[in-house]
Amino acid sequence: MSTVRPITASTTEPAWVRRLLIAAVLLLVMVMLILPLCAVFQQAFENGAAAYWAAIRDDDSVAAIKLTLLIAAIAVPLNLVFGVAAAWAITKFDFPLKNLLSTLIDLPFAVSPVISGLIFVLLFGRRGYFGPWLENHNIAIVFALPGMVLATVFVTFPFVARELIPVMQSLGRDEEQAAIVLGATGWQTFWRISLPNIRWGLLYAVILCNARAMGEFGAVSVVSGHVAGLNNTIPLQVELFYDDYNFSGAFALASVLAMLGVVTLILKKLIEWRTGIRADA
Amino acid sequence: MSIEVSHISKSFGGFQALNDINLKVESGELVALLGPSGCGKTTLLRIIAGLEAADEGSVVVEGKDATNQAARERGVGFVFQHYALFRHLSVLENVAFGLRVRPRSLRPSNAEIKTKALELLRLVQLEGLEKRSPSELSGGQRQRVALARALAVEPNVLLLDEPFGALDAQVRIELRRWLRRLHDDLHMTSVFVTHDQEEALELADRVVVMNKGQIEQIGTPQEVYERPASPFVYHFLGSVNLFHGRVHNGRATIGSLDIAAPDDLINTESKAVGFVRPHELEISRSPNGKATLQARVSHIHAVGATIRVELVDASTREFISAELTRSRYQELALVVGDQVYVTPSNIRVFAADLDFSI
Amino acid sequence: MTAVASPKTARTKTRSLRVIPGFGLSLGYTVFYLSIIVLIPLSTIFLKSAQIGLSGMWRIMSDPRVLAAFNLSFGSAFAAALTNVFAGVLIAWVLVRYRFPGVRLIDALIDLPFALPTSVAGISLAAVYANTGYLGRYLESGVIGLPALAGHHFALHFPPVKIAYTGHGVYIALLFIGLPFIVRTVQPVLEELGADVEEAAASLGASRWQTIVRVIFPMMLPALLTGFSLAFARGLGEYGSVIFISNNKPFEGEILPKLIIEKLEQFNYPGATTIGVLMLLASFALLLTVNVLQRWASRWQ
């Protein structure tokens, strides 16, 4: 008997081609993704753990971490409420210009972070449309906290809506209608039926939105005053350290953000796994 | 509770889903809305439930105008086609939902709610499954949970949208009989939508046959099957033979048949079509003196109690389908190629300008 | 027949009713919030550019420094997106089709550029490609030493290349940023393709190569172009990761977003606005392309 040819041969490649392609992908992922990730932590700990902790506990670093948390704590809930409202309107009802609305929600994705900052400078900056009025009334928006919050809200605007719309679309409207026919009020239907059904999607959206809010650099950079200890977020403080050749400080803070990114990735995968299980059951 | 639907019309964009529908469902009746997909039957059901608003017309439940009542105030039980069970709640909590969302003053105690829900689960023969999640149930079980959930709020009327549509043939027949028994026990006014004629004829007290947004006929299963009011109903309920001919001077000439024209066509002069069910054709070896057609046997399906015989009309070359009992078949000793005479025992003639399409 | 027509139910117009509540509230809030956060702020840049006028914008754009930045931004974004088409298809194919240890880990890692803040990506890429970095030390020396074989030392020689703190860095950063766009748009299409289509092609006598070229590739094409457009658009606007690895020198490593910041720092609002509007229009054009592509792709469904 000669060797039996596997019957799947017609829809796959010879073994040597498969191995070659897999090797190429491993090399690509190694060079493009893993090396940069390793570099952050290697550089952060280059001068030892003590230097690492000193850099993190630096007054400016602590102030930057606090400011970053504050901005995210404002921006994420705002976009969360909006995202739920938008997804509710778009998936539970039919109305004219729905596609246009859906496209407009995605708009900030198409805007460069620098332009996202620029528009708020044009509005509220010293030579902006409302600049003189704000200056007369002693209100600071640009180069202060409100501007940084606005820019962050703008940049992270679509995240929650974008995640929720497909989830709610696939759930349909039947369960809500069933609840209403059974006598539930609108709020009862929302809290008892709709919200529990989208809880994983919602969590997922909040995690992504938060990661982006904390890591946003370009937009916030344009509207920040860049004063260390006052209006620098973590990414801005990283830049400041880096430009001052304080590499251990820059990489130590960057490693905090990198960990945020890695944790986001892990949570994302866990939720995908979790919801995958639920969908199969 | 009776339901009275008057002059209901509804269109979606340019599509006329319902056109001036009038229907009265008596208290305690089980009515089927039967028709092909897109005929408007589900839309009508949803309008009765308040899940859809009619463009015109009114819905009266037990003498009370419900047209402008919100769905949650109508007190109807609705069983959705794909059940719409709350996937994050257990079977028990699904059934209990309608009671739990009542305003505090009308809400039974937790213990009462639980007792009631368990009682209903026993009624739909699902005791012991109350802790399961809907995803752990079979299709038939989900269907019964949906029913128990709808019954929990003690609705005035029960509305079911294609209640057996998503089930296997075997489960479907079982559940159909079970639902009939349940209805006989509870005597709740019920309306269900189906596209399956067998289901409608077997289950319902009365059948409403719908087509293209209009009601074609309302009647008992026997009435609509035996005396279809229109070519459409003939086509939709069971198989039928068509014979083309003319109406002239109060006589209908259909092939070699010559019979009295129906009353409504006595004064008309037009092309006509005669409708004959396969079992309404008699086959004989010799002309029997009555109006007959000559035909040749082309195929015989001799499986089961009823023998189906395919014939070719000798003059028109068209196919004719006949059914006869096994004893009659053996008596005739038919074989393929035999020349026989075919006599309709019952023929219904319609003018040919009517729309026959389904 | 029990069709009824009681006198009191003459044709009445019923009020329109929405079963699920909250339409006015949710849509109203959506439109309001969208307007104050996105539409009104974004419209100011167009308002501003209208004040500058076409001739003014033309004058700003024809500045050689702006043109150089324009070339660098568009050129790097295009080249990086194009490279990523090949890398992305390869990765998507291997992830969907082959089973090997670590496949799930690699699948998770693909999203790293989405999850990693851009400034972190920037400094880490700079560290990798600097003359002391993991790759930079070899690339800048022009020699890669290979392990000793049978007592002989081998080395691979090539022209030295400097990446960190040069214009090439822009391309490297955009390569990193754009990779997930291609993988994540192509991957679902490949998953959905299923073996049956290929089996059908094979049973009709097509060779493996014919199947790939005539069946798989055409079905993948809309997703490929979508991924390319998304990566290109993202690359055009990218700021954070680029400025750390580029030297940001005019005519060398200065990208358009960096130039906008330069102009803003000199309070040159017209300059910043002009560049911004042109970048926006390019992004919108790409977004429109993606929309058209999606419609084209859905014609098979």
Side-chain angles (χ1 to χ4, degrees), chain A residues 11 13 26 32 36 40 42 79 82 86 88 93 110 112 115 121 123 127 129 153-154 186 217 242 265 268-269, chain C residues 20-21 23 26 30 33 37 41 44 48 98 106-107 111 123-124 126 134 165 176 208 237 239-240 267 269 276 283:
Chain A
T11 56
E13 288 70 44
L26 289 176
M32 287 181 77
V40 180
Q42 186 244 325
N79 284 339
F82 160 75
W88 184 268
F93 307 100
S112 167
I115 297 174
V121 174
L123 269 179
R127 296 187 197 173
Y129 289 102
V153 168
F154 180 94
F217 176 71
Y242 194 82
L265 263 191
K268 181 180 165 211
K269 283 290 144 188
Chain C
I20 301 176
F23 177 65
S26 61
T30 300
Y33 190 77
I37 297 293
T44 57
K48 186 87 189 168
Y98 305 150
I106 290 181
D107 187 58
D111 282 334
I123 63 168
S124 56
Y134 297 135
Y165 318 119
F176 176 82
R208 185 70 188 143
Y239 175 70
F267 295 101
Y269 285 11
S283 292

Side-chain angles (χ1 to χ4, degrees), chain B residues 51 54 56 58 67-68 206, chain C residues 2 4 9 11-12 14-15 19:
Chain B
L51 289 172
E56 282 174 68
S58 68
T67 313
N68 289 322
R206 282 195 307 150
Chain C
T2 45
V4 291
T9 51
R11 297 200 159 211
T12 48
T14 60
R15 78 178 157 90
V19 178

Side-chain angles (χ1 to χ4, degrees), chain B residues 59-117:
Chain B
V59 176
V60 176
V61 178
E62 193 60 15
K64 218 177 103 211
D65 190 356
T67 313
N68 289 322
Q69 235 176 355
R72 58 182 295 264
E73 296 158 359
R74 288 198 188 186
V76 297
F78 197 96
V79 177
F80 289 79
Q81 186 179 1
H82 301 288
Y83 322 130
L85 295 181
F86 306 132
R87 64 197 86 191
H88 64 292
L89 297 179
S90 68
V91 166
L92 184 83
E93 283 308 309
N94 261 281
V95 178
F97 184 85
L99 300 172
R100 291 215 191 279
V101 296
R102 282 190 182 168
R104 200 176 292 277
S105 56
L106 298 174
R107 196 188 310 154
S109 71
N110 276 341
E112 281 169 330
I113 289 176
K114 197 177 171 196
T115 313
K116 174 100 192 249

Side-chain angles (χ1 to χ4, degrees), chain B residues 33-329:
Chain B
L33 301 181
L34 173 67
S37 58
C39 74
K41 56 191 193 297
T42 294
T43 306
L44 179 57
L45 193 78
R46 291 173 64 87
I47 286 174
I48 296 172
L51 289 172
E52 211 88 64
D55 299 336
E56 282 174 68
S58 68
V59 176
V60 176
V61 178
E62 193 60 15
K64 218 177 103 211
D65 190 356
T67 313
N68 289 322
Q69 235 176 355
R72 58 182 295 264
E73 296 158 359
R74 288 198 188 186
V76 297
F78 197 96
V79 177
F80 289 79
Q81 186 179 1
H82 301 288
Y83 322 130
L85 295 181
F86 306 132
R87 64 197 86 191
H88 64 292
L89 297 179
S90 68
V91 166
L92 184 83
E93 283 308 309
N94 261 281
V95 178
F97 184 85
L99 300 172
R100 291 215 191 279
V101 296
R102 282 190 182 168
R104 200 176 292 277
S105 56
L106 298 174
R107 196 188 310 154
S109 71
N110 276 341
E112 281 169 330
I113 289 176
K114 197 177 171 196
T115 313
K116 174 100 192 249
L118 286 171
E119 200 178 290
L120 279 159
L121 285 173
R122 199 154 44 243
L123 180 73
V124 300
Q125 296 165 353
L126 288 175
E127 58 257 89
L129 298 184
E130 65 271 10
K131 289 201 178 66
R132 297 261 186 106
S133 109
S135 60
E136 296 166 333
L137 300 181
S138 72
Q141 289 170 330
R142 285 181 207 185
Q143 173 66 54
R144 281 180 282 159
V145 174
L147 194 60
R149 183 179 70 178
L151 292 174
V153 292
E154 293 171 10
N156 302 322
V157 295
L158 186 61
L159 307 173
L160 304 103
D161 186 9
E162 295 272 4
F164 314 112
L167 300 173
D168 300 338
Q170 195 66 36
V171 185
R172 192 187 289 205
I173 291 168
E174 241 168 72
L175 212 55
R176 195 196 286 168
R177 297 200 177 122
W178 174 81
L179 185 67
R180 179 71 236 187
R181 279 202 304 279
L182 191 74
H183 180 263
D184 291 342
D185 291 344
L186 299 176
H187 266 293
M188 182 173 292
T189 310
S190 310
V191 180
F192 73 99
V193 156
T194 181
H195 62 267
D196 181 341
Q197 39 138 332
E198 212 183 296
E199 202 166 282
L201 296 180
E202 189 179 319
L203 195 53
D205 295 324
R206 282 195 307 150
V207 178
V208 179
V209 186
M210 295 182 64
N211 182 34
K212 294 183 178 162
Q214 281 173 322
I215 293 179
E216 293 272 338
Q217 188 174 8
I218 304 176
T220 65
Q222 212 181 350
E223 277 166 6
V224 295
Y225 186 77
E226 289 180 0
R227 292 191 295 284
S230 68
F232 172 80
V233 181
Y234 247 117
H235 272 291
F236 197 70
L237 296 178
S239 46
V240 70
N241 290 300
L242 267 63
F243 297 95
H244 295 275
R246 292 196 60 81
V247 177
H248 177 65
N249 279 347
R251 300 294 291 173
T253 317
I254 308 241
S256 50
L257 301 173
D258 184 51
I259 55 171
D263 295 348
D264 53 327
L265 295 179
I266 278 190
N267 297 318
T268 5
E269 197 75 17
S270 75
K271 285 185 179 172
V273 180
F275 286 75
V276 184
R277 296 251 190 243
H279 67 88
E280 292 168 339
L281 287 171
E282 282 165 18
I283 297 178
S284 54
R285 288 256 171 214
S286 54
N288 56 4
K290 290 185 245 170
T292 57
L293 297 167
Q294 222 182 336
R296 189 177 57 84
V297 176
S298 67
H299 198 93
I300 299 172
H301 306 269
V303 179
T306 313
I307 311 300
R308 286 191 290 131
V309 180
E310 299 282 335
L311 305 126
V312 180
D313 188 317
S315 56
T316 63
R317 321 302 303 167
E318 277 177 20
F319 277 95
I320 304 169
S321 170
E323 279 175 14
L324 52 161
T325 61
R326 184 161 282 275
S327 58
R328 177 70 185 145
Y329 166 64

Side-chain angles (χ1 to χ4, degrees), chain A residues 72 74-91 102 105-106 108-109 152-169 190 195 198-213, chain C residues 29-30 33:
Chain A
I74 301 171
V76 174
L78 280 176
N79 284 339
L80 176 65
V81 172
F82 160 75
V84 172
W88 184 268
I90 285 175
T91 60
S102 189
I105 289 173
D106 277 344
F109 278 156
T152 305
V153 168
F154 180 94
V155 168
T156 58
F157 178 87
F159 274 89
V160 179
R162 211 25 62 205
E163 285 300 325
L164 285 186
I165 287 171
V167 171
M168 286 169 75
Q169 207 114 53
F190 177 72
L195 209 54
I198 58 169
R199 61 191 187 277
W200 291 108
L202 207 60
L203 181 63
Y204 187 70
V206 166
I207 288 167
L208 288 185
C209 187
N210 178 64
R212 181 69 196 270
Chain C
Y29 184 69
T30 300
Y33 190 77

